[in-house]
Amino acid sequence: MVICSDYNRRGPKNIPVKEVVDEAVAMGCTSIEKVLVFKTTGGKVNWNPDIDLWWHETVDNMDTECAAEVMDAEDMLFILYTSGSTGKPKGVVHTCGGYMVYTCYSFKNVFQYQDGDIYWCTADVGWITGHSYIIYGPLLAGATTTMFEGVPGHPDAGRFWHVCEKHRVNQFYTAPTAIRALMAAGWHEPEKYDLSYLRVIGSVGEPINEEAWHWYDEKVGRSNAPIVDTWWQTETGGIMITPLPGITDTKPCFASYPLPGIQPCLLDPNGVELEGNDVEGLLCIKFPWPSILRTTYGDHERCRTNYFAAFKNMYFTGDGAKRDEDGRYRIIGRVDDVINVSGHRIGTAEVEDAIDQHSGVVESAVVGYPHDIKGQGIYAYVKAHNEIVDEEHFRREILAVVTKEIGPIAKPDKIQFVSQLPKTRSGKIMRRILRKIAEGQTDQLGDTSTLLNPECVEELKAGALV
Ligand code: 7RM
């Protein structure tokens, strides 16, 4: 059974959720027997009486008692798909016992939740942050958790602060991309609201830049609500590295210290652990924790090679990090081909796969570049089969394919059409060059002599969209 709404509200737009579900069912999700639809907007929907049921007509006739199903601690709880450096997204599997123990424990401690508090996490529930810290952690802890349907900037840049004031929110948890967008849209906006109930404010999803950290601290937290810069991943299930409010001194851009029980370490590329402080390396975890991923759905070997084979007896996170003179961690970002767009992990390979599905495309290469609001933007280099007649039309078609295959979040911000991509002799695309061009640093391309087709560099530079 699928439970969905007719539409979701997203700022001024209504998203046709039922229509998306209809399409999935039609495409061959043969296991689906019923679709239970909650009427949110009452907008127009297609109705198949064989499988569709209205929520309001169905629940009225239901028993109010429902016996809990007994589960084994290691039974699967959910699968959440996440991007890696290669191939299709992996289905990260979490199980009942460990995940619930850890999200409850970390929620209570990181947010210092007290009875009677009102907590609000603005994440999308479809992201691991929504799973762990809107639903499981807070509800297991008996907390009051706020759910918000909308976007930060609608109807204006004061929306979040208005909700905080109205519901007297005590703990507020959001992402740097939202902070930067709100900061740009209304530097003084938070001052118009009573935010005196806020005791802890959190950040998650990507490195928070220093300017955004200070704005969040001063304008939102009024220098009186510690920022918890929480580092973790879909695979870790819950928060791993974070300051603890009132216990750890905060430092801009630093996720700081691991939670009790978590054992991070930094390795050099040869897998040698870097001892002591003031070092930088690949972030690994030495010892398992309750909500560690159990497998990648349908492919256990892939889980092993992806996370546990890079370095012996270690979980490898895919992130690089620094440890300062006091042992605090600062996360630098992904070391693999993964772009972090507004806190969403997007594999460059996935976007390339989607673009390549357009029949007019020969091949493509996707890289990230610094973006003021999103953290990173998506830059695509596309080689077409034939001469392009209408670039704008072609661009729109490519964006439509990406939206359909992955989702609107993966739409390239920039598409540069090229006659060839820079290739090494072994046929690998030289992403380093493409990354530099996308960043506007054409004077820092480095050695291009190992390219099979060094002549393409001038064309790439001339056509750069910067
Ligand atoms: C919770 C979540 C995981 C990746 C991770 C990092 C990046 C997350 C922070 C961060 C710097 C942070 N799960 N990341 N939190 N980088 N500081 N506080 O985001 O699976 O979607 O992404 O996100 O690169 O590996 S996720």
Side-chain angles (χ1 to χ4, degrees):
M1 174 179 283
V2 179
I3 305 177
C4 67
S5 54
D6 53 357
Y7 288 79
N8 274 2
R9 293 200 183 85
R10 202 169 157 74
K13 284 192 249 170
N14 288 337
I15 311 292
V17 180
K18 168 75 164 54
E19 194 182 305
V20 175
V21 173
D22 288 346
E23 205 182 318
V25 172
M27 274 171 74
C29 289
T30 48
S31 61
I32 296 169
E33 293 169 15
K34 293 289 172 200
V35 176
L36 185 58
V37 188
F38 185 85
K39 193 179 270 187
T40 304
T41 65
K44 196 178 164 301
V45 289
N46 286 326
W47 204 253
N48 176 351
D50 292 339
I51 59 171
D52 294 338
L53 294 169
W54 282 115
W55 171 278
H56 59 267
E57 289 172 1
T58 311
V59 290
D60 282 353
N61 310 319
M62 290 285 159
D63 204 328
T64 50
E65 297 281 322
C66 177
E69 185 76 29
V70 176
M71 304 298 284
D72 187 274
E74 287 301 316
D75 280 342
M76 182 155 71
L77 182 59
F78 62 81
I79 312 170
L80 199 57
Y81 282 81
T82 194
S83 299
S85 48
T86 52
K88 291 239 177 305
K90 301 179 281 284
V92 170
V93 172
H94 283 294
T95 53
C96 297
Y99 176 84
M100 295 212 255
V101 164
Y102 195 75
T103 50
C104 181
Y105 155 83
S106 52
F107 168 75
K108 282 196 208 169
N109 285 286
V110 173
F111 296 101
Q112 291 290 304
Y113 185 87
Q114 309 292 322
D115 281 349
D117 284 352
I118 310 286
Y119 163 88
W120 182 23
C121 168
T122 70
D124 187 321
V125 278
W127 183 24
I128 188 68
T129 305
H131 279 56
S132 301
Y133 297 109
I134 296 177
I135 311 291
Y136 287 98
L139 295 184
L140 285 161
T144 300
T145 178
T146 310
M147 292 177 85
F148 173 75
E149 188 176 33
V151 289
H154 181 82
D156 59 51
R159 187 68 196 270
F160 276 6
W161 324 129
H162 175 77
V163 172
C164 285
E165 177 185 89
K166 179 174 166 190
H167 296 287
R168 302 186 172 181
V169 170
N170 303 108
Q171 292 90 2
F172 177 71
Y173 194 27
T174 196
T177 185
I179 297 170
R180 286 191 297 266
L182 293 173
M183 182 171 90
W187 188 272
H188 295 287
E189 201 65 24
E191 292 164 8
K192 299 182 193 158
Y193 297 88
D194 178 7
L195 300 180
S196 61
Y197 292 92
L198 287 177
R199 285 205 322 272
V200 177
I201 55 178
S203 171
V204 59
E206 53 182 315
I208 178 165
N209 52 308
E210 192 149 0
E211 187 190 25
W213 194 96
H214 285 294
W215 182 84
Y216 196 33
D217 182 41
E218 287 160 28
K219 300 292 171 199
V220 180
R222 311 283 156 90
S223 308
N224 202 23
I227 294 178
V228 287
D229 177 357
T230 61
W231 174 84
W232 56 293
Q233 308 177 295
T234 307
E235 295 86 344
T236 70
I239 296 166
M240 303 288 279
I241 305 182
T242 177
L244 282 172
I247 298 169
T248 320
D249 284 334
T250 58
K251 180 174 174 182
C253 312
F254 282 76
S256 297
Y257 300 109
L259 282 179
I262 305 302
Q263 299 183 29
C265 63
L266 299 176
L267 304 187
D268 76 6
N270 300 317
V272 179
E273 185 173 349
L274 303 167
E275 304 284 347
N277 290 335
D278 220 355
V279 287
E280 178 177 335
L282 302 167
L283 181 63
C284 290
I285 318 282
K286 273 192 205 181
F287 196 77
W289 59 97
S291 58
I292 187 172
L293 82 161
R294 297 303 196 270
T295 188
T296 49
Y297 190 65
D299 196 347
H300 198 58
E301 178 57 17
R302 190 164 177 213
C303 177
R304 195 187 67 80
T305 50
N306 238 288
Y307 302 104
F308 302 98
F311 305 108
K312 200 167 183 304
N313 292 329
M314 297 276 177
Y315 166 82
F316 176 46
T317 65
D319 282 332
K322 280 182 184 170
R323 195 161 54 218
D324 77 359
E325 54 291 349
D326 299 312
R328 289 189 193 88
Y329 286 89
R330 173 178 190 159
I331 313 301
I332 298 162
R334 305 292 303 181
V335 294
D336 49 20
D337 284 326
V338 174
I339 310 179
N340 189 327
V341 181
S342 301
H344 294 265
R345 267 163 71 177
I346 296 175
T348 53
E350 263 174 85
V351 184
E352 290 163 5
D353 281 351
I355 294 175
D356 296 353
Q357 289 199 21
H358 189 293
S359 57
V361 172
V362 179
E363 60 175 352
S364 61
V366 166
V367 298
Y369 70 95
H371 188 288
D372 284 349
I373 304 290
K374 301 180 185 181
Q376 279 189 296
I378 302 178
Y379 194 121
Y381 297 86
V382 174
K383 178 178 170 184
H385 274 292
N386 305 309
E387 203 184 320
I388 304 164
V389 191
D390 182 349
E391 272 205 9
E392 195 40 49
H393 181 70
F394 194 27
R395 197 187 313 276
R396 275 202 304 274
E397 283 185 351
I398 290 171
L399 295 182
V401 177
V402 175
T403 302
K404 180 147 195 303
E405 291 300 314
I406 312 174
I409 186 80
K411 279 194 296 195
D413 299 271
K414 297 179 181 177
I415 298 177
Q416 179 179 350
F417 295 107
V418 299
S419 69
Q420 46 182 327
L421 292 167
K423 296 270 177 83
T424 63
R425 272 159 230 284
S426 62
K428 287 205 180 62
I429 296 169
M430 255 231 212
R431 288 166 190 284
R432 175 175 55 87
I433 292 175
L434 297 176
R435 236 179 258 126
K436 289 286 177 202
I437 292 174
E439 288 167 2
Q441 299 178 333
T442 44
D443 52 332
Q444 292 174 33
L445 296 188
D447 186 11
T448 56
S449 62
T450 55
L451 281 178
L452 192 64
N453 52 349
E455 72 284 356
C456 75
V457 173
E458 283 315 310
E459 179 202 324
L460 290 168
K461 286 206 274 192
L465 304 164
V466 286

